[in-house]
PDB file of all heavy atoms in Angstrom:
ATOM      1  N   ILE B 115     -25.768  68.201 -26.091  1.00  0.00           N
ATOM      2  CA  ILE B 115     -26.906  68.005 -26.993  1.00  0.00           C
ATOM      3  C   ILE B 115     -28.184  67.817 -26.183  1.00  0.00           C
ATOM      4  O   ILE B 115     -29.208  68.450 -26.444  1.00  0.00           O
ATOM      5  CB  ILE B 115     -26.670  66.776 -27.900  1.00  0.00           C
ATOM      6  CG1 ILE B 115     -25.553  67.093 -28.881  1.00  0.00           C
ATOM      7  CG2 ILE B 115     -27.958  66.417 -28.650  1.00  0.00           C
ATOM      8  CD1 ILE B 115     -25.293  65.965 -29.848  1.00  0.00           C
ATOM      9  N   GLY B 116     -28.086  66.980 -25.157  1.00  0.00           N
ATOM     10  CA  GLY B 116     -29.260  66.724 -24.338  1.00  0.00           C
ATOM     11  C   GLY B 116     -29.762  67.988 -23.675  1.00  0.00           C
ATOM     12  O   GLY B 116     -30.946  68.315 -23.718  1.00  0.00           O
ATOM     13  N   ARG B 117     -28.825  68.746 -23.106  1.00  0.00           N
ATOM     14  CA  ARG B 117     -29.210  69.953 -22.388  1.00  0.00           C
ATOM     15  C   ARG B 117     -29.885  70.937 -23.324  1.00  0.00           C
ATOM     16  O   ARG B 117     -30.883  71.568 -23.002  1.00  0.00           O
ATOM     17  CB  ARG B 117     -27.956  70.566 -21.751  1.00  0.00           C
ATOM     18  CG  ARG B 117     -28.251  71.356 -20.501  1.00  0.00           C
ATOM     19  CD  ARG B 117     -26.981  71.820 -19.842  1.00  0.00           C
ATOM     20  NE  ARG B 117     -26.367  70.772 -19.038  1.00  0.00           N
ATOM     21  CZ  ARG B 117     -25.056  70.686 -18.806  1.00  0.00           C
ATOM     22  NH1 ARG B 117     -24.247  71.566 -19.351  1.00  0.00           N
ATOM     23  NH2 ARG B 117     -24.564  69.727 -18.049  1.00  0.00           N
ATOM     24  N   GLN B 118     -29.315  71.050 -24.546  1.00  0.00           N
ATOM     25  CA  GLN B 118     -29.877  72.030 -25.470  1.00  0.00           C
ATOM     26  C   GLN B 118     -31.232  71.590 -25.996  1.00  0.00           C
ATOM     27  O   GLN B 118     -32.104  72.423 -26.244  1.00  0.00           O
ATOM     28  CB  GLN B 118     -28.890  72.282 -26.608  1.00  0.00           C
ATOM     29  CG  GLN B 118     -27.683  73.041 -26.082  1.00  0.00           C
ATOM     30  CD  GLN B 118     -26.790  73.569 -27.170  1.00  0.00           C
ATOM     31  OE1 GLN B 118     -26.928  73.179 -28.325  1.00  0.00           O
ATOM     32  NE2 GLN B 118     -25.881  74.442 -26.807  1.00  0.00           N
ATOM     33  N   THR B 119     -31.412  70.284 -26.142  1.00  0.00           N
ATOM     34  CA  THR B 119     -32.724  69.801 -26.562  1.00  0.00           C
ATOM     35  C   THR B 119     -33.769  70.159 -25.514  1.00  0.00           C
ATOM     36  O   THR B 119     -34.844  70.663 -25.833  1.00  0.00           O
ATOM     37  CB  THR B 119     -32.698  68.277 -26.753  1.00  0.00           C
ATOM     38  OG1 THR B 119     -31.593  67.948 -27.579  1.00  0.00           O
ATOM     39  CG2 THR B 119     -33.991  67.786 -27.375  1.00  0.00           C
ATOM     40  N   PHE B 120     -33.424  69.902 -24.261  1.00  0.00           N
ATOM     41  CA  PHE B 120     -34.376  70.232 -23.202  1.00  0.00           C
ATOM     42  C   PHE B 120     -34.638  71.733 -23.139  1.00  0.00           C
ATOM     43  O   PHE B 120     -35.759  72.171 -22.920  1.00  0.00           O
ATOM     44  CB  PHE B 120     -33.876  69.707 -21.858  1.00  0.00           C
ATOM     45  CG  PHE B 120     -34.229  68.267 -21.645  1.00  0.00           C
ATOM     46  CD1 PHE B 120     -33.271  67.284 -21.688  1.00  0.00           C
ATOM     47  CD2 PHE B 120     -35.566  67.914 -21.426  1.00  0.00           C
ATOM     48  CE1 PHE B 120     -33.607  65.956 -21.514  1.00  0.00           C
ATOM     49  CE2 PHE B 120     -35.904  66.581 -21.246  1.00  0.00           C
ATOM     50  CZ  PHE B 120     -34.928  65.604 -21.292  1.00  0.00           C
ATOM     51  N   ALA B 121     -33.568  72.528 -23.352  1.00  0.00           N
ATOM     52  CA  ALA B 121     -33.744  73.976 -23.337  1.00  0.00           C
ATOM     53  C   ALA B 121     -34.709  74.396 -24.438  1.00  0.00           C
ATOM     54  O   ALA B 121     -35.574  75.256 -24.229  1.00  0.00           O
ATOM     55  CB  ALA B 121     -32.395  74.661 -23.504  1.00  0.00           C
ATOM     56  N   ALA B 122     -34.566  73.777 -25.623  1.00  0.00           N
ATOM     57  CA  ALA B 122     -35.447  74.126 -26.741  1.00  0.00           C
ATOM     58  C   ALA B 122     -36.889  73.750 -26.423  1.00  0.00           C
ATOM     59  O   ALA B 122     -37.824  74.519 -26.701  1.00  0.00           O
ATOM     60  CB  ALA B 122     -34.980  73.423 -28.015  1.00  0.00           C
ATOM     61  N   LEU B 123     -37.063  72.571 -25.820  1.00  0.00           N
ATOM     62  CA  LEU B 123     -38.416  72.148 -25.466  1.00  0.00           C
ATOM     63  C   LEU B 123     -39.022  73.096 -24.427  1.00  0.00           C
ATOM     64  O   LEU B 123     -40.193  73.471 -24.509  1.00  0.00           O
ATOM     65  CB  LEU B 123     -38.397  70.717 -24.915  1.00  0.00           C
ATOM     66  CG  LEU B 123     -38.148  69.636 -25.956  1.00  0.00           C
ATOM     67  CD1 LEU B 123     -38.086  68.267 -25.291  1.00  0.00           C
ATOM     68  CD2 LEU B 123     -39.251  69.660 -27.021  1.00  0.00           C
ATOM     69  N   GLU B 124     -38.193  73.485 -23.486  1.00  0.00           N
ATOM     70  CA  GLU B 124     -38.660  74.394 -22.440  1.00  0.00           C
ATOM     71  C   GLU B 124     -39.083  75.731 -23.047  1.00  0.00           C
ATOM     72  O   GLU B 124     -40.097  76.314 -22.679  1.00  0.00           O
ATOM     73  CB  GLU B 124     -37.526  74.604 -21.449  1.00  0.00           C
ATOM     74  CG  GLU B 124     -37.973  74.969 -20.058  1.00  0.00           C
ATOM     75  CD  GLU B 124     -36.775  75.019 -19.129  1.00  0.00           C
ATOM     76  OE1 GLU B 124     -36.065  74.001 -19.030  1.00  0.00           O
ATOM     77  OE2 GLU B 124     -36.533  76.086 -18.553  1.00  0.00           O
TER      78      GLU B 124
END
Side-chain angles (χ1 to χ4, degrees):
Chain B
I115 291 182
R117 208 174 279 152
Q118 290 191 347
T119 310
F120 276 108
L123 287 177
E124 206 175 303

